[in-house]
Amino acid sequence: MNLKTLQLNWIKPLVFVVALLPLVLLMVNASLEQLGANPAEKILHETGIWALRFLLLTLLITPLRRLTGWHDLLRLRRMLGLYSFFYACLHFLSWLLFDHVFAGTLAWQPIVSDIIKRPYITVGFFAFVLLLPLAITSNAYMMRYLGGRAWQRLHRAVYLIAIAAVIHFWWLVKLDISEPVIYAVILAILLFLRRYRAA
Amino acid sequence: MLIQRPADIPSSEITPKSVYLQRRQFIQNTLGLGALALLPEALQAKSSDFPCLKKSPYSTSETPTPYDKVTNYNNFYEFGSSKSAPALLAKYFKTTPWSVRIDGAVEKPGTYTLEDILKPHTLEERIYRLRCVEAWSMVIPWVGFPLADLLKRFGPTANAKYVAFETLHDPEQMPGQKSRFSLDWPYVEGLRMDEAMHPLTILAVGLYGETLPKQNGAPLRLVVPWKYGFKSIKSIVRIHFTETRPATTWGRMGPDEYGFYANVNPAVDHPRWSQKTERKLGGGFFSSLFKQETRFLNGYAEQVGHLYAGMDLSKAF
């Protein structure tokens, strides 16, 4: 066990706790009624943006590892990926709850028509559905069961998910696309770094 | 493409300082409450900018959205595209002196000071529902007067089929007008003449009994309660009577998303989201999380439904 492995032993729980902070903050502010005039919109936006941020952090691990030679970083990747999935679940559930619970009941038909008719929801839903198999196969047992090569092939879907997530954000904006553009640029850099290495 | 337009008011049209300083006193005098002006400003409660407002039968009995929500959650792209930007960035926006240019198909065109504009009108309280095109809504106690009363004063001619309104274009004061991702300035909105003359349509100079906060469109804004909020143009500097339908700002931006009429209509979806339901902000924390049904013409169908008789509202949206 080298020094860096030792460091990781406490970095990992630290990251685990820090990654929960956006949710804690959201809950504290909700209980204090400090989520602004439109709390539902705030919750939808925050859970969505953190799902995207953790996804990009997950994609950052490999280039960072190569840059620093700190190979143990890989041990953080699964956790970051699962946090992305966690916030995506909260995002999806808030959408069901705040946009589709009407007079106390969940209306299915508008959900389906939203997914089919609204392009930004279509791509967002697509990204979420694609995340499911990745989350399910993220444990060591499933990794062994699938075998390294098949597992890796499956998990390349993360690139598609990230692209869909950025498009989802871009398409829902009314006019000022400066924020989604920032995420698109970061994603482009992360994807480019991989391509560069492959060449 | 930006539509360029000289933003400066010729100095000959600027109200002398001595005149605009009298504005507050003037409004109070108009209301027969000149004595109040003698009180130091600090002693005057916020809600007494316009005491003794006339109540209106057009007001809803619904509970108004709390003041801090009405004044901290605004779509006013001139001050940035986020909801919180206007309250922060409009702080130093100068609304005095203010004048409004009246032109086009009208007998008495000219540039009028805000004092001239307001002088003959009795202000009243109008508690209206406001439905944003983004599927949220509020209830706001406006202070204002019928637009029709003002328009009649200038004598619109037979050619006046539409009224167009413009917001101030002053990028030095309105940082949103300098943004890379912005609208074509100045902001333009418009109404058909019969819509403009309808008694529900008002010009507002205040809300919650106080002078209109800057982020809500001070000093003079339109309020058309049966249309999506973006029709209710803020900080008006020009009223233009025209024979042809004006090209409105959001309409040019997204012709399939923001129509000229922009009537609240649960049956006609925005291409990107449903308009069947809305989130009514304010009230309890939990009740503002969930959606409720949106009503045709925002619940004002009884008053204004006849304006659209025989029209296909899915086409004329």
Side-chain angles (χ1 to χ4, degrees), chain A residues 30 33 35-41 43 97-99 102 117-118 120 171-178, chain B residues 73 77 81 134 181 183 250 253 258 269-274 277 279 281 285 288-293:
Chain A
E33 301 199 9
L35 291 180
N38 197 341
E41 180 192 65
I43 293 167
L97 192 64
F98 302 143
D99 269 16
F102 186 69
K117 266 169 48 186
R118 325 266 173 223
Y120 85 93
W171 280 353
L172 73 85
V173 167
K174 226 166 105 191
L175 177 74
D176 185 350
I177 51 167
S178 45
Chain B
Y73 190 79
Y77 277 55
S81 62
E134 298 163 0
F181 303 103
L183 299 159
W250 280 105
M253 186 74 213
Y258 311 98
D269 284 348
H270 184 281
R272 283 185 281 162
W273 55 84
S274 161
T277 57
R279 219 167 258 133
L281 307 182
F285 176 71
S288 59
L289 284 176
F290 298 101
K291 290 197 158 182
Q292 62 176 44
E293 238 170 289

Side-chain angles (χ1 to χ4, degrees), chain B:
Chain B
M1 187 193 72
L2 267 172
I3 292 185
Q4 297 292 344
R5 169 181 306 287
D8 290 335
I9 302 164
S11 61
S12 60
E13 291 177 3
I14 293 175
T15 318
K17 193 177 179 191
S18 58
V19 173
Y20 76 71
L21 283 177
Q22 291 164 10
R23 179 174 158 244
R24 174 173 292 260
Q25 188 173 4
F26 185 77
I27 291 169
Q28 284 156 350
N29 285 343
T30 312
L31 295 163
L33 288 153
L36 198 70
L38 298 172
L39 282 172
E41 203 165 291
L43 281 182
Q44 296 178 27
K46 239 184 182 181
S47 58
S48 67
D49 278 356
F50 311 102
C52 308
L53 285 171
K54 202 172 92 180
K55 302 269 179 232
S56 166
Y58 291 116
S59 286
T60 169
S61 57
E62 288 164 69
T63 312
T65 309
Y67 177 85
D68 67 309
K69 289 180 177 150
V70 173
T71 55
N72 285 293
Y73 190 79
N74 308 98
N75 271 329
F76 196 173
Y77 277 55
E78 280 78 352
F79 293 102
S81 62
S82 80
K83 300 283 190 293
S84 51
L88 291 171
L89 299 176
K91 219 166 259 170
Y92 303 105
F93 174 41
K94 270 188 71 187
T95 55
T96 47
W98 195 269
S99 56
V100 182
R101 182 150 61 103
I102 313 280
D103 59 3
V106 68
E107 279 160 16
K108 284 178 255 176
T111 300
Y112 297 84
T113 63
L114 187 64
E115 290 72 20
D116 288 338
I117 295 277
L118 301 181
K119 202 179 195 168
H121 302 284
T122 310
L123 297 176
E124 46 187 292
E125 182 188 58
R126 296 277 182 112
I127 308 171
Y128 280 164
R129 290 179 288 274
L130 175 98
R131 168 62 155 80
C132 179
V133 72
E134 298 163 0
W136 53 265
S137 64
M138 293 185 179
V139 177
I140 303 175
W142 300 106
V143 176
F145 59 94
L147 173 66
D149 293 352
L150 180 79
L151 298 188
K152 282 180 207 151
R153 282 168 55 197
F154 305 115
T157 67
N159 290 335
K161 302 275 192 289
Y162 295 91
V163 198
F165 304 85
E166 276 177 30
T167 299
L168 179 69
H169 182 216
D170 184 356
E172 288 312 308
Q173 286 204 80
M174 298 175 140
Q177 291 177 332
K178 283 196 269 197
S179 159
R180 186 188 303 265
F181 303 103
S182 67
L183 299 159
D184 276 351
W185 310 109
Y187 193 92
V188 175
E189 257 311 331
L191 296 171
R192 219 169 56 190
M193 204 61 189
D194 56 346
E195 298 175 320
M197 299 304 274
H198 193 278
L200 272 179
T201 308
I202 60 164
L203 284 173
V205 293
L207 56 80
Y208 265 102
E210 68 164 76
T211 301
L212 203 57
K214 288 166 181 173
Q215 63 270 33
N216 294 84
L220 185 71
R221 68 168 291 168
L222 183 70
V223 180
V224 195
W226 71 92
K227 292 175 180 286
Y228 293 122
F230 68 87
K231 293 296 289 183
S232 293
I233 185 169
K234 301 179 175 85
S235 305
I236 297 168
V237 292
R238 185 182 179 205
I239 300 176
H240 179 74
F241 296 83
T242 154
E243 188 158 19
T244 50
R245 184 198 280 188
T248 57
T249 299
W250 280 105
R252 276 177 289 163
M253 186 74 213
D256 55 333
E257 300 197 338
Y258 311 98
F260 175 78
Y261 286 97
N263 288 321
V264 176
N265 191 345
V268 179
D269 284 348
H270 184 281
R272 283 185 281 162
W273 55 84
S274 161
Q275 296 290 27
K276 287 187 189 66
T277 57
E278 69 198 46
R279 219 167 258 133
K280 191 175 168 185
L281 307 182
F285 176 71
F286 282 101
S287 70
S288 59
L289 284 176
F290 298 101
K291 290 197 158 182
Q292 62 176 44
E293 238 170 289
T294 288
R295 294 155 73 190
F296 179 53
L297 298 174
N298 204 21
Y300 297 99
E302 207 179 302
Q303 290 94 328
V304 293
H306 65 274
L307 298 176
Y308 310 103
M311 286 173 60
D312 181 354
L313 295 183
S314 65
K315 292 204 174 71
F317 58 87

